[in-house]
Amino acid sequence: MIVALDGPAAAGKGTLAKRLALHFDFAFLDTGLLYRATARHLADAGGDRADAAAATAAARRVAASDLDDPRLRREEIAQLASAVAAVPGVRAALLAFQRDFAAAPPDGKRGAVLDGRDIGTVVCPDAAAKIFVTASIEERARRRLKELRESGVETIYGTVLQDMQDRDARDSRRQTAPLRPADDAFVLDTTDLDADAAFAAARDYVAGKLAAT
Ligand code: DC
């Protein structure tokens, strides 16, 4: 059983994906970390964000052990990840890792939750459950601002909103695997939902799909 969870930045995907994985005892993969790890390899190698060959080489170096690095959470890595994610060679290089994880979830789990931008459309188009988590850009910027301030980062709402708009535009307008809901996705708008209400709606949807398989 594969649960594909897609949506824009700061819509609440990560929290929701982790809770669903815990609830159903499924494995969990945050696929954004693969793009972030690619960005980090590229930055470490002094590569230019416009150099598609260097970005593809960086993606080929990504290993599971790279994904725990706390530096991947930084905003500059998020922006660079969004840039390298538009390179078709990068997406192709990261596809096998994601599909292998979904086909054979670690620790003998009988299912997997993958969160990202193109899981329901490209990585796992046959996933039994597909959720597209979204929220208004203002609400997402407010949530991200709170998160950043809690982690000690000094910033202002306008900057966070602008970064979010830039990233949304790049993620949705790219040619390869742009961010969009799969035709058969359950669209969950969390603008006016707290984390518990969003989880309850997603849990009920997945439980219904599980019962039907
Ligand atoms: O989910 P995140 O913020 O960690 O993702 C970082 C960037 O990686 C995001 O801006 C777009 C890209 N990404 C992607 O293109 N496809 C995915 N499945 C996951 C992330």
Side-chain angles (χ1 to χ4, degrees):
M1 169 91 181
I2 297 166
V3 180
L5 231 151
D6 293 304
K13 287 189 311 282
T15 311
L16 195 55
K18 278 184 220 128
R19 283 184 74 174
L20 286 173
L22 201 64
H23 180 83
F24 291 100
D25 194 28
F26 289 174
F28 164 59
L29 178 64
D30 171 356
T31 67
L33 290 177
L34 300 171
Y35 293 89
R36 287 170 183 257
T38 301
R40 214 212 70 213
H41 279 309
L42 182 66
D44 287 354
D48 188 304
R49 66 164 60 203
D51 184 344
T56 303
R60 294 204 180 112
R61 283 206 297 278
V62 171
S65 55
D66 295 331
L67 308 184
D68 299 327
D69 185 342
R71 285 181 299 170
L72 301 187
R73 297 278 154 219
R74 292 184 188 165
E75 184 53 32
E76 66 270 21
I77 290 291
Q79 293 292 344
L80 185 56
S82 167
V84 297
V87 176
V90 167
R91 306 203 71 83
L94 299 177
L95 200 55
F97 187 105
Q98 300 170 78
R99 288 198 174 143
D100 288 350
F101 187 96
D107 306 322
K109 303 275 187 198
R110 67 192 177 108
V113 181
L114 280 81
D115 96 43
R117 303 288 188 291
D118 62 338
I119 309 302
T121 50
V122 174
V123 178
C124 301
D126 298 328
K130 297 181 185 178
I131 307 175
F132 190 85
V133 190
T134 186
S136 71
I137 189 152
E138 294 79 12
E139 177 58 22
R140 290 188 286 120
R142 269 193 293 275
R143 290 178 192 168
R144 179 53 53 85
L145 179 67
K146 184 164 172 276
E147 233 173 63
L148 287 169
R149 288 201 171 143
E150 281 168 3
S151 67
V153 177
E154 288 294 324
T155 185
I156 56 165
Y157 177 77
T159 307
V160 177
L161 183 66
Q162 185 62 54
D163 285 349
M164 193 83 70
Q165 278 162 342
D166 293 348
R167 202 134 79 90
D168 275 7
R170 264 201 310 271
D171 293 348
S172 328
R173 290 189 203 143
R174 67 179 177 227
Q175 293 280 316
T176 314
L179 170 69
R180 69 168 181 85
D183 294 338
D184 52 350
F186 165 50
V187 178
L188 181 57
D189 187 332
T190 68
T191 308
D192 298 315
L193 297 182
D194 65 16
D196 287 342
F199 169 67
R203 178 201 59 208
D204 292 351
Y205 163 78
V206 174
K209 293 289 179 187
L210 206 57
T213 54

